[in-house]
Structures are given as C-alpha cells and as structure tokens.
Amino acid sequence: MLSSNQLTKNYHQVLQQIDNYRKTHQHSHNITLIAVSKNQPLESIQHLYNLGQKDFGENYLQEAINKINALNPIAQGITWHYIGRI
C-alpha cells in the first residue's frame, strides 16, 4: 500500500498529465479519470475521494459491493464503474 503522501503525489501527477494533454489536444475536454480501486484498501479510496477523485473502477462484483457499502455513508459522491470482462 502506498503512503498517503505518495498517493497524493501520484494523483496530482496524473491530473497534471491530463491537464497538459487537454492544453494540446482539441476535443479532449471529455476526459474522465477512473481510479482503479481493485485490491486497494478503503483508506486509500477514501483518501483519493477527499482529494477530489469521484470515479472508481472495480472488476470483482463482491469486492465492489463491500466497498460501496462501507464507503456509502461518507463518500456518497462516488461513481462506481465496472471494468473488465462481464
């Protein structure tokens, strides 16, 4: 598991890369960053949510349900995405 400092640093680096891409490519305003939360602890997801990340992706239904239920009371603005094969 990454430290909260490293997670914050990585998150801001990705946001900067997206911002740089938007500046050089027209029609790139519709970019959505989906943080893959597969195998990640609730604390890391909550930390990213507190930084402003609202879209998370899971590919195992049971793991997703557990996280959704655990985070729902404190992180109601999350949009969950199913990633991978159905």
Side-chain angles (χ1 to χ4, degrees), residues 30-79:
N30 254 355
I31 297 172
T32 300
L33 175 62
I34 299 174
V36 177
S37 52
K38 169 186 169 182
N39 297 324
Q40 296 301 312
L42 293 172
E43 295 80 16
S44 294
I45 299 167
Q46 180 68 42
H47 182 75
L48 282 177
Y49 176 80
N50 290 339
L51 291 174
Q53 180 62 33
K54 303 299 186 240
D55 291 87
F56 292 87
E58 289 283 340
N59 69 337
Y60 293 113
L61 181 60
Q62 191 57 47
E63 186 176 348
I65 289 171
N66 291 339
K67 289 177 181 175
I68 291 166
N69 289 335
L71 291 168
N72 189 41
I74 52 177
Q76 296 179 6
I78 290 178
T79 299

Side-chain angles (χ1 to χ4, degrees), residues 4 9 12 20-21 23 25 27 30 32 42-43 50 53 57 68 70 73 75 82-84:
S4 58
K9 180 181 175 185
H12 287 297
N20 290 343
Y21 183 86
K23 289 176 183 175
H25 294 81
H27 308 298
N30 254 355
T32 300
L42 293 172
E43 295 80 16
N50 290 339
Q53 180 62 33
I68 291 166
Y82 181 80
I83 55 175

